[in-house]
Amino acid sequence: MSFTIEERGKSNAQDYRVFFKNSEGRYISPFHDIPIYADEAENVFHAVIEVPRWTNAKMEIATKDPLNPLKQDVKKGRLRYVANVFPHKGYIWNYGAIPQTWEDPCHKDGDTGCCGDNDPIDICDIGNKVCSHGEVIQVKVLGTLALIDEGETDWKVIVINVEDPEAKAFDNIDDVRRLKPGYLEATVDWFKRYKVPDGKPENQFAFNGEFKDKDFAIDVIKSTHGFWKALISQETDAADLNRMNTCLSDSPFCCSDDDAKAAVDATPSFDDEDPIPATVDKWYYYEKK
């Protein structure tokens, strides 16, 4: 199964969008139409890359827009770029989400005591390749970190691209600790401090910031897949989420290819990019608590 992207609007501008197509050339939703599994028997999952490693633009699946294209987050009327909190430059992994998952904001997690963040579950790909935004990869799950972000449960699943030349050596979170020493500690540090430059406090974690293993992580993913199933079948209130899809024939929100094309055509045509602000390369320093 292969996927391609179609860019619309102007890169590094608020109208920029990245739409997805399947191998048949049909427009699809990366939230709803890309299958969660690449190989269910082997627990290999699809992952949509939103933010390539070392970059700063906070790209994300637009859960409230028709067909859920990628777009850059906007805060206080300005495009959002994650600060470089020394010694981290941008995102330190390929960052993205597993399709057909949803962290239900009305479900209080029994382990964290907090409700979900209303988004697909996040992944951090530790493989060697620097991916591009909109790339769809197949990943092995290694473990997970339970971030508590402004009072919401925000799981961060540690994965590795199955096509990585080192992938066979990684089967669980302890392999990351052994083969990439310091990476897990840096991951906790990154998530703890990345919002401090915006004037917010350090983030907190469930389990005292300890990573849970592969089996625990897969169970979490499966539970969020169950929440998504309820969402897409209209068993759960979506609030302001957009459930438009083109491939789920049993979903009340499945639309025609013409309707999908009309949604894409309603956005501006692709244009030259705007420059990235020079301030994005600034380093932020502060003393750890």
Side-chain angles (χ1 to χ4, degrees):
M1 185 172 291
S2 61
F3 306 93
T4 57
I5 62 170
E6 179 179 320
E7 297 174 289
R8 305 281 294 190
K10 182 178 290 190
S11 184
N12 307 318
Q14 292 194 27
D15 66 357
Y16 182 64
R17 299 290 186 273
V18 178
F19 287 92
F20 289 73
K21 291 181 177 180
N22 63 13
S23 56
E24 300 172 350
R26 300 173 64 191
Y27 288 112
I28 59 170
S29 159
F31 187 5
H32 306 304
D33 288 317
I34 296 176
I36 180 175
Y37 290 107
D39 186 338
E40 185 172 1
E42 297 295 326
N43 280 318
V44 175
F45 297 85
H46 283 120
V48 178
I49 300 302
E50 298 164 312
V51 187
R53 184 189 288 115
W54 312 135
T55 64
N56 301 74
K58 183 64 174 74
M59 300 293 295
E60 59 188 14
I61 292 174
T63 57
K64 300 176 183 179
D65 292 3
L67 290 180
N68 314 117
L70 295 190
K71 70 175 183 180
Q72 191 167 347
D73 190 22
V74 175
K75 294 292 185 184
K76 297 180 180 179
R78 301 176 66 180
L79 290 173
R80 183 178 170 199
Y81 294 90
V82 169
N84 303 304
V85 182
F86 187 83
H88 308 301
K89 175 65 177 77
Y91 285 71
I92 62 174
W93 349 254
N94 296 304
Y95 187 75
I98 296 177
Q100 297 187 340
T101 63
W102 179 53
E103 296 192 62
D104 187 347
C106 295
H107 172 78
K108 180 178 287 189
D109 188 277
D111 291 307
T112 69
C114 298
C115 294
D117 72 346
N118 204 31
D119 285 325
I121 200 166
D122 298 318
I123 61 97
C124 302
D125 164 42
I126 65 167
N128 292 292
K129 177 184 176 182
V130 177
C131 295
S132 57
H133 64 242
E135 189 170 348
V136 180
I137 62 174
Q138 299 181 17
V139 299
K140 294 168 61 175
V141 170
L142 305 175
T144 189
L145 179 68
L147 175 67
I148 307 300
D149 190 351
E150 299 183 36
E152 297 176 331
T153 301
D154 191 2
W155 294 102
K156 307 299 180 184
V157 181
I158 308 302
V159 304
I160 189 167
N161 190 334
V162 297
E163 295 185 356
D164 190 281
E166 299 176 352
K168 290 183 179 180
F170 290 84
D171 288 309
N172 213 322
I173 200 67
D174 287 338
D175 296 321
V176 184
R177 192 171 286 109
R178 177 173 56 89
L179 297 171
K180 292 181 181 281
Y183 208 169
L184 296 181
E185 292 81 0
T187 294
V188 172
D189 186 66
W190 196 97
F191 282 117
K192 178 184 289 186
R193 303 198 292 147
Y194 81 106
K195 288 189 175 180
V196 172
D198 298 327
K200 296 181 179 179
E202 291 183 347
N203 279 321
Q204 304 299 313
F205 305 89
F207 312 112
N208 295 316
E210 294 296 322
F211 287 81
K212 307 301 285 185
D213 66 12
K214 173 180 66 176
D215 291 340
F216 187 100
I218 290 174
D219 284 344
V220 170
I221 295 168
K222 288 180 178 179
S223 70
T224 62
H225 182 51
F227 297 143
W228 171 82
K229 285 181 176 179
L231 175 73
I232 201 66
S233 64
Q234 211 171 8
E235 295 175 19
T236 299
D237 181 21
D240 52 359
L241 299 185
N242 195 298
R243 292 176 279 189
M244 182 180 189
N245 67 83
T246 60
C247 299
L248 305 174
S249 58
D250 56 347
S251 165
F253 307 99
C254 188
C255 72
S256 68
D257 291 344
D258 287 342
D259 286 342
K261 185 177 184 303
V264 176
D265 288 345
T267 62
S269 299
F270 185 57
D271 199 355
D272 292 336
E273 64 180 29
D274 280 347
I276 297 175
T279 54
V280 172
D281 288 327
K282 179 181 177 180
W283 290 91
Y284 185 87
Y285 301 83
Y286 82 100
E287 188 174 355
K288 295 181 183 180
K289 296 181 180 180

